[in-house]
Amino acid sequence: MSAPPLPEVPRERRSYPKGVARRQEILDRAIEVFAKRGAQRTSLRAIAQEVGVTHGALTHYFGSLEELLVAVYHESELRLDGDAPAGSEVTPAEMMRVSAEENREIPGMIQLYSTLVATALEDGHSAAQEFATQRFARLREELARRVRHLQSVGRIRTDVDPGLVAALTIAASDGLQSQWLLDETVDHEGALAMLDRLFANPSN
Amino acid sequence: MSAPPLPEVPRERRSYPKGVARRQEILDRAIEVFAKRGAQRTSLRAIAQEVGVTHGALTHYFGSLEELLVAVYHESELRLDGDAPAGSEVTPAEMMRVSAEENREIPGMIQLYSTLVATALEDGHSAAQEFATQRFARLREELARRVRHLQSVGRIRTDVDPGLVAALTIAASDGLQSQWLLDETVDHEGALAMLDRLFANPSN
């Protein structure tokens, strides 16, 4: 007696979990490759080779090198976010300092980030542009909310605009990271700690 | 009677001024092209075409696209430097604000700058790396000297390290410029003015 036929499942639904798993596998491997190699501009074919998939599969799952770069950075950021200091009493500069400390373990990711931002500033790179614009907007929003809270509890001086503090802190951290990558004597942490002291409520 | 023979001039010296003039001509034209087009990653051949020289001539005078990019930025910076506020009483944040204001007239140059820094952070790009490393070092040195002077005349608070103030101000300005290019509502000037107030000697 033969087994009863399996219920009919549409082809797309049936192959979906496998497609997701395969995409994740490629992404995991790409993250490893980028963490090791930085983000030297290179061909999609060369990366595909290093990741160990065909050019066709990479194009199929990510569309373009730019979109793979965005996915790699996004995924790495999600993984790091788990370690970010979450307490609402943590200042914006301290948040950026901790995140920079984590990034320093994987210089390839700092290079990848700076390549994505530079690519976003060029015309006609919509994936990188959308990524960078949204990331900056989200981060400014998050830090500004934090500043307003810390002003209300008397930790941050009230004569500074929360939105400007947020934009400035992100900018300072990004810029210091670039300077540090080119010259390790640049004191990223020290400069952010100084910024923290300047923003602190002087009557404390 | 024939004219006396002209004194012998070595071929290299004789052709030198013409080579310099031709190089300058290409550079001038490339600056125009970049100021209009930004720094989209494109082939040397395509830029050569737009500049109106052969691929061979471009390679001959600049070596590589990366070296042409460095030369274009360097030359543009020299031209802008003439307009920079030179007085020793001008604060670092104010200097960066004025320079950013000038750059805003030519968005292509901001894009070119950010591409050069991102390229410098990748491995194996020695021309961009040398350019960015030296530019940051020179600018930090210059701003730190300015901070020490302004501390000595009571304009800047003395409890901040001049080197950290310099690195932080450059970083903030660079990062804010990137954010502004992606979202024009980011107040680059306002954030630098806030930084200026924070660094000011509170007893003034």
Side-chain angles (χ1 to χ4, degrees):
Chain A
M1 220 167 78
S2 64
L6 289 168
E8 191 72 21
V9 177
R11 171 170 278 276
E12 309 81 63
R13 264 182 62 204
R14 209 167 39 197
S15 66
Y16 189 59
K18 201 177 155 204
V20 167
R22 182 72 188 119
R23 186 183 184 279
Q24 188 60 47
E25 212 175 279
I26 298 174
L27 195 55
D28 287 344
R29 175 77 188 119
I31 288 173
E32 269 178 60
V33 167
F34 276 100
K36 261 192 302 186
R37 80 190 325 265
Q40 296 96 314
R41 223 138 0 254
T42 180
S43 71
L44 192 54
R45 196 174 292 269
I47 288 175
Q49 215 161 34
E50 219 172 319
V51 173
V53 288
T54 62
H55 182 224
L58 210 58
T59 309
H60 173 73
Y61 289 112
F62 297 95
S64 68
L65 176 56
E66 192 184 326
E67 282 165 276
L68 173 63
L69 290 179
V70 169
V72 165
Y73 189 83
H74 190 67
E75 178 81 8
S76 311
E77 212 182 20
L78 281 181
R79 293 183 189 179
L80 284 176
D81 265 4
D83 310 329
S88 61
E89 305 304 301
V90 177
T91 64
E94 173 66 8
M95 262 189 73
M96 297 308 287
R97 192 195 62 71
V98 170
S99 140
E101 197 176 44
E102 290 167 357
N103 285 343
R104 221 163 305 159
E105 304 298 311
I106 33 174
M109 283 298 136
I110 305 181
Q111 292 169 350
L112 174 57
Y113 172 71
S114 111
T115 296
L116 280 175
V117 172
T119 304
L121 301 186
E122 296 170 13
D123 292 332
H125 290 276
S126 51
Q129 195 160 344
E130 198 184 307
F131 159 79
T133 307
Q134 288 183 359
R135 179 182 178 278
F136 280 135
R138 187 176 41 76
L139 206 47
R140 279 195 301 261
E141 181 67 31
E142 186 186 331
L143 294 193
R145 206 180 317 122
R146 199 170 273 267
V147 171
R148 279 190 294 269
H149 167 71
L150 291 169
Q151 285 177 325
S152 76
V153 297
R155 288 274 314 276
I156 285 188
R157 54 198 303 161
T158 51
D159 60 350
V160 289
D161 177 83
L164 290 184
V165 172
L168 182 77
T169 307
I170 298 162
S173 182
D174 281 4
L176 286 163
Q177 211 160 50
S178 299
Q179 289 184 49
W180 172 80
L181 264 181
L182 290 166
D183 178 351
E184 289 208 349
T185 66
V186 172
D187 187 1
H188 184 281
E189 287 198 26
L192 284 185
M194 176 178 72
L195 195 58
D196 229 359
R197 281 199 310 279
L198 292 170
F199 284 140
N201 187 345
S203 57
N204 271 356
Chain B
M1 218 164 75
S2 63
L6 289 167
E8 191 72 22
V9 178
R11 170 171 279 275
E12 310 82 63
R13 263 182 61 205
R14 211 165 36 195
S15 66
Y16 189 59
K18 201 178 155 203
V20 167
R22 181 72 187 119
R23 187 183 184 279
Q24 188 60 48
E25 213 174 279
I26 298 174
L27 195 55
D28 288 343
R29 175 77 188 119
I31 288 172
E32 269 179 60
V33 167
F34 275 100
K36 262 192 301 187
R37 79 187 328 263
Q40 297 97 315
R41 224 138 1 255
T42 181
S43 71
L44 192 53
R45 196 175 293 269
I47 288 175
Q49 216 161 32
E50 219 173 319
V51 173
V53 287
T54 62
H55 184 224
L58 210 59
T59 310
H60 172 73
Y61 289 111
F62 297 95
S64 68
L65 175 56
E66 191 184 327
E67 282 166 276
L68 173 63
L69 290 179
V70 169
V72 165
Y73 190 83
H74 189 67
E75 179 80 9
S76 311
E77 212 181 20
L78 281 181
R79 293 182 190 180
L80 285 176
D81 265 5
D83 309 329
S88 60
E89 305 305 301
V90 178
T91 63
E94 173 66 7
M95 262 189 73
M96 297 310 285
R97 193 194 61 72
V98 171
S99 140
E101 196 175 44
E102 291 167 356
N103 285 343
R104 221 163 305 159
E105 304 297 311
I106 33 175
M109 282 301 135
I110 305 180
Q111 292 169 349
L112 174 56
Y113 172 71
S114 111
T115 297
L116 280 175
V117 171
T119 304
L121 301 186
E122 296 169 15
D123 291 334
H125 291 275
S126 51
Q129 196 161 344
E130 199 185 306
F131 159 79
T133 308
Q134 288 183 0
R135 179 181 178 278
F136 281 134
R138 187 175 41 76
L139 206 48
R140 279 195 301 262
E141 181 67 32
E142 188 187 327
L143 294 193
R145 205 180 317 120
R146 200 170 272 267
V147 171
R148 279 189 293 271
H149 167 71
L150 291 169
Q151 285 177 325
S152 76
V153 297
R155 288 274 313 278
I156 285 187
R157 53 198 303 159
T158 51
D159 60 350
V160 290
D161 177 82
L164 289 184
V165 172
L168 182 77
T169 307
I170 298 162
S173 182
D174 281 5
L176 286 163
Q177 212 159 51
S178 299
Q179 290 184 49
W180 172 80
L181 265 182
L182 290 166
D183 178 352
E184 290 208 350
T185 67
V186 172
D187 187 1
H188 184 282
E189 287 198 27
L192 284 184
M194 176 179 72
L195 194 58
D196 229 359
R197 281 200 310 277
L198 292 170
F199 285 140
N201 188 344
S203 59
N204 270 355

